[in-house]
Every structure is written in C-alpha cells, then in structure tokens.
C-alpha cells in the first residue's frame, strides 16, 4: 500500500544532566515536504520546565490524528453525496486512564465535530450521523487502534 515516515530527533543540551532525569523533553518531528513540528512530552506526564508548553505532545497528536482522519473522510463522503460543506471544526478530546490490563492508555477519544453546510441539498440529522458513521468506519487511524473512538457530531 504505502509507507509513511516521520523523523523524530532529540539532543541533550550541553549543560543538561541526564542520569538525574532532569533533561528537556523538547524534540522535533519532521515530515515529508519539509514540515517540522516542535514536540515535547505532555506537562501532565513530565512537569514544566522539562516539558515544553508550546509544543505538541504525543497524546495531543494521537487525538489530532484521529480527528483529522475522520474529518478528511467525512468531507470526501459529504462531497460524494452532494452536500456542500462550508466549515468543519472538531474540539476533540482524549482521556488517559488505566485500561483493562491496568496500563495507562488513551482509553477514549471523543470527536465533537461541528459542521456547517450550505446549498440546496443539506443533510438531515439521520443523514448527517450516517456520514459520520461511514467516515469513522473508513478512517485508517481509527481502524488502527484499540482505543474506543467516539464521534458526537454537531451541525451549525
């Protein structure tokens, strides 16, 4: 099918210790096309200043990845069904908790997409929910994880 790559790099600062576990968790994610994203551990996991507040953490990226994949499928399916989407916004959230095996995991991700439609053909509530259900079923990322992925769509 396809291979997707990301280069993750970290380097210890010259004046930082390491063995004392007091080193910066700041690192860089690099993707094809030259995009670089500042990354860090979550401040919920490693306290500031060892984590970087204005960087993306893996947990946020996980939630964003699920939301983005769902949105891309939703837009494609809506277009194919003849519905014009003007705006789509999702305030997605993930919950870290102990899973059935007693390990800390992202146990639930809930998507809260708000969609604005226009034009002569606007989906009713049932059609709108069906589009989200189909997007969820098609989403590569949701199909790749054990985490329960929920979707609570809204229309503006």
């Amino acid at each position: 099918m396809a291979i997707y790559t990301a280069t993750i790099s970290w380097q210890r600062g010259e004046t930082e210790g390491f063995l004392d576990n007091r080193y910066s968790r700041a690192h860089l994610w690099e993707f094809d096309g030259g995009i670089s994203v500042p990354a860090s551990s979550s401040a919920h996991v490693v306290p500031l200043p060892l984590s970087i507040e204005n960087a993306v953490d893996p947990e946020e990226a996980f939630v964003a990845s699920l939301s983005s994949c769902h949105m891309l499928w939703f837009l494609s399916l809506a277009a194919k069904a003849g519905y014009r989407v003007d705006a789509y916004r999702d305030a997605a959230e993930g919950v870290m908790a102990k899973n059935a095996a007693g390990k800390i995991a992202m146990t639930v991700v809930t998507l809260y997409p708000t969609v604005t439609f226009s034009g002569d053909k606007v989906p009713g509530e049932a059609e709108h929910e069906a589009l989200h259900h189909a997007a969820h079923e098609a989403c590569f990322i949701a199909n790749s994880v054990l985490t329960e992925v929920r979707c609570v769509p809204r229309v503006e």
Side-chain angles (χ1 to χ4, degrees):
M1 294 272 300
I3 296 174
Y4 298 89
T5 62
T7 302
I8 290 50
S9 54
W10 172 88
Q11 187 168 346
R12 184 178 58 82
E14 287 184 29
T15 60
E16 288 183 316
F18 184 78
L19 299 178
D20 61 358
N21 208 28
R22 299 205 43 81
Y23 54 90
S24 174
R25 277 27 177 220
H27 56 283
L28 191 64
W29 296 346
E30 296 174 274
F31 300 96
D32 60 358
I35 301 297
S36 296
V37 177
S40 176
S41 56
S42 167
H44 295 294
V45 178
V46 178
L48 301 173
L50 300 177
S51 288
I52 307 301
E53 204 167 15
N54 63 349
V56 177
D57 63 62
E59 296 82 3
E60 291 169 326
F62 181 78
V63 173
S65 179
L66 285 161
S67 175
S68 182
C69 186
H70 181 92
M71 179 199 69
L72 292 167
W73 275 107
F74 180 88
L75 295 174
S76 174
L77 294 167
K80 193 175 289 185
Y83 300 118
R84 184 169 61 211
V85 176
D86 290 336
Y88 183 110
R89 184 176 189 278
D90 184 4
E93 59 184 35
V95 176
M96 294 282 285
K98 285 191 177 181
N99 64 15
K103 295 182 177 184
I104 299 293
M106 191 71 69
T107 56
V108 176
V109 172
T110 304
L111 309 180
Y112 293 101
T114 300
V115 182
T116 304
F117 297 93
S118 68
D120 296 332
K121 185 178 178 185
V122 175
E125 186 176 332
E127 292 86 6
H128 183 234
E129 289 183 13
L131 283 169
H132 282 288
H133 178 75
H136 175 70
E137 291 297 313
C139 175
F140 307 137
I141 307 302
N143 289 330
S144 301
V145 298
L146 298 176
T147 300
E148 177 184 356
V149 179
R150 298 178 184 166
C151 180
V152 182
R154 294 179 286 210
V155 176
E156 251 182 24

